[in-house]
Amino acid sequence: MATDDNRTSSRGRSNSDRGSDRSRTSSGRDGSSSRSRQPERSASGRSGQSGRSSSQASSRSSSGRSNGSSVRRDGDSRGERSRRQYDDRRGDNRSSANRERRYSSERRRDDYDDRSGRDAVIRKRAEAERRRIEKQKRTQKLAIIWSVFAAVVLIAVILLVVNKDKLAKNFGSSSKIGFEKSEDPAITGLVEDYFNALKTCDQNTLKSLVTEPASFDDMTVYEGRAEVISDYTNILCYTVDGYEKNEKIVYAVFNIKINGVESTPLDIMQFYLVEETGKYKINNGALPNKTKNYVVKVDESESVQKLYTMVKEDNESLLASDPTFAEFYNKLQ
């Protein structure tokens, strides 16, 4: 019974404790008769136990296989899910990385476009500013050129207005020279006083009428002339404006009384009058070259040449009609 109880208790135990019970039962038993009967029961019990154990083992193995397969399936499904999750995460990471790269690329492109746009705007503004400055410089140059041109024209007009008479006298036709008979007593009186002083050899008067009084320090020449020509009559003065303002060229046409000659031939003398201290004087000194050239042109004018022609024709007529004048004339030659 003890053995049956032991078997019953051993059967009621879990499969995992049977091995240890058997070891303890085998070790705790002595060599009594019950031990001899025990082997048969033990054998039959073991065979029954082994059948039960094998069935239980098979059931456990089958259940273990089923559980293992289910665990493997669960593990596979979990692994698959993990892989999918990993793949999803990796895909998400790749997608986010790709998005980041695309974003970075787009941002760099946008930045480049922005910089390019800003550079283009800066270049356009710089080009516009350069063109504006160049246009301003051209405008300033044109303004300066036109200002200089206008100033030159204005100066030319002023000079033309101020010196129109001089220009006409220097460059105009000789027939256009203003030639007129003078009625100015300041001019005619000066010329008459001069001829009267020559006639009488009045040295002081002569000196007072000219710009170079020293030329009359020696009166020898003028005294010899007074012995030949005793008088100057019918004095007519023809005037032309001088080179400078308040200057006059005077052509005096007069008759001379020659001692020993019956007729009174015509003669002509030129004077250049300048104004000093409010009155005219005869310039008996050297004239400036410009004034001298101007006087030459006036002499070549048609009006003045008519005076010289008139005097010459008168002298030629007297040479033919007055032997005393012809004799005097030949002595001068």
Side-chain angles (χ1 to χ4, degrees):
M1 291 299 287
T3 57
D4 292 334
D5 293 333
N6 288 333
R7 282 194 297 271
T8 303
S9 63
S10 63
R11 280 194 301 269
R13 294 173 184 172
S14 64
N15 293 329
S16 62
D17 294 333
R18 288 193 183 101
S20 62
D21 291 339
R22 284 195 298 270
S23 64
R24 285 193 300 271
T25 302
S26 62
S27 64
R29 293 187 183 122
D30 57 359
S32 64
S33 60
S34 62
R35 184 180 296 178
S36 62
R37 291 190 300 268
Q38 184 70 27
E40 295 177 358
R41 292 177 183 177
S42 300
S44 64
R46 282 194 296 274
S47 63
Q49 287 177 0
S50 63
R52 287 190 298 271
S53 299
S54 62
S55 64
Q56 290 175 357
S58 63
S59 64
R60 283 196 302 271
S61 64
S62 62
S63 65
R65 283 194 298 273
S66 63
N67 292 331
S69 62
S70 64
V71 168
R72 281 194 299 274
R73 284 194 298 273
D74 293 339
D76 291 340
S77 62
R78 285 196 297 273
E80 184 65 25
R81 284 196 300 272
S82 298
R83 281 193 299 275
R84 283 198 299 271
Q85 290 174 358
Y86 173 76
D87 292 338
D88 292 340
R89 286 194 299 272
R90 187 170 61 181
D92 292 339
N93 292 333
R94 289 178 179 174
S95 298
S96 62
N98 291 331
R99 284 195 300 272
E100 183 65 26
R101 282 195 296 272
R102 285 196 302 271
Y103 176 72
S104 299
S105 177
E106 290 176 357
R107 186 171 57 190
R108 286 194 298 271
R109 187 165 56 251
D110 292 340
D111 292 340
Y112 175 77
D113 293 338
D114 292 340
R115 287 194 299 271
S116 299
R118 286 195 298 270
D119 293 341
V121 171
I122 292 172
R123 286 194 297 271
K124 287 181 180 179
R125 289 179 179 175
E127 181 67 18
E129 182 66 16
R130 184 183 63 81
R131 290 180 180 177
R132 186 187 67 79
I133 292 173
E134 289 181 355
K135 183 178 179 181
Q136 185 177 5
K137 289 181 179 179
R138 288 195 298 268
T139 303
Q140 290 176 352
K141 288 181 180 179
L142 289 174
I144 292 172
I145 292 172
W146 278 109
S147 298
V148 172
F149 177 76
V152 171
V153 172
L154 181 61
I155 292 172
V157 171
I158 292 173
L159 290 176
L160 181 63
V161 170
V162 172
N163 299 312
K164 63 180 181 178
D165 294 335
K166 296 178 184 178
L167 293 173
K169 293 162 189 175
N170 282 320
F171 304 106
S173 172
S174 60
S175 61
K176 295 182 180 180
I177 288 188
F179 182 84
E180 61 183 4
K181 183 179 179 182
S182 177
E183 300 293 339
D184 186 354
I187 294 175
T188 58
L190 173 62
V191 173
E192 289 175 357
D193 290 343
Y194 180 79
F195 282 123
N196 289 331
L198 281 180
K199 180 176 62 176
T200 60
C201 292
D202 187 348
Q203 184 180 29
N204 293 330
T205 301
L206 291 172
K207 285 185 175 183
S208 65
L209 300 176
V210 298
T211 59
E212 298 292 336
S215 61
F216 291 102
D217 288 343
D218 185 1
M219 295 293 294
T220 303
V221 174
Y222 301 103
E223 290 173 352
R225 181 181 181 122
E227 291 177 359
V228 176
I229 300 174
S230 58
D231 201 2
Y232 302 90
T233 60
N234 304 320
I235 301 171
L236 297 175
C237 294
Y238 299 89
T239 59
V240 177
D241 290 336
Y243 186 77
E244 298 291 344
K245 185 179 179 180
N246 298 326
E247 295 180 351
K248 295 289 184 179
I249 301 175
V250 178
Y251 294 92
V253 179
F254 50 91
N255 293 100
I256 55 174
K257 176 61 178 175
I258 303 172
N259 292 329
V261 176
E262 295 180 358
S263 60
T264 54
L266 284 176
D267 201 358
I268 186 170
M269 187 177 291
Q270 181 200 81
F271 300 95
Y272 196 88
L273 307 185
V274 295
E275 190 174 359
E276 290 185 0
T277 63
K279 64 179 181 179
Y280 285 113
K281 284 191 175 183
I282 298 171
N283 186 346
N284 61 335
L287 294 174
N289 289 332
K290 291 182 179 181
T291 304
K292 190 182 297 183
N293 293 334
Y294 172 70
V295 171
V296 171
K297 285 191 173 294
V298 173
D299 282 344
E300 293 173 352
S301 67
E302 182 179 356
S303 300
V304 174
Q305 287 300 313
K306 285 182 178 181
L307 291 178
Y308 283 107
T309 300
M310 180 182 67
V311 172
K312 181 179 179 181
E313 289 176 352
D314 178 79
N315 286 289
E316 288 176 351
S317 176
L318 291 177
L319 286 173
S321 61
D322 185 358
T324 56
F325 177 69
E327 182 182 359
F328 172 80
Y329 186 83
N330 292 329
K331 288 180 180 180
L332 295 175
Q333 301 299 320

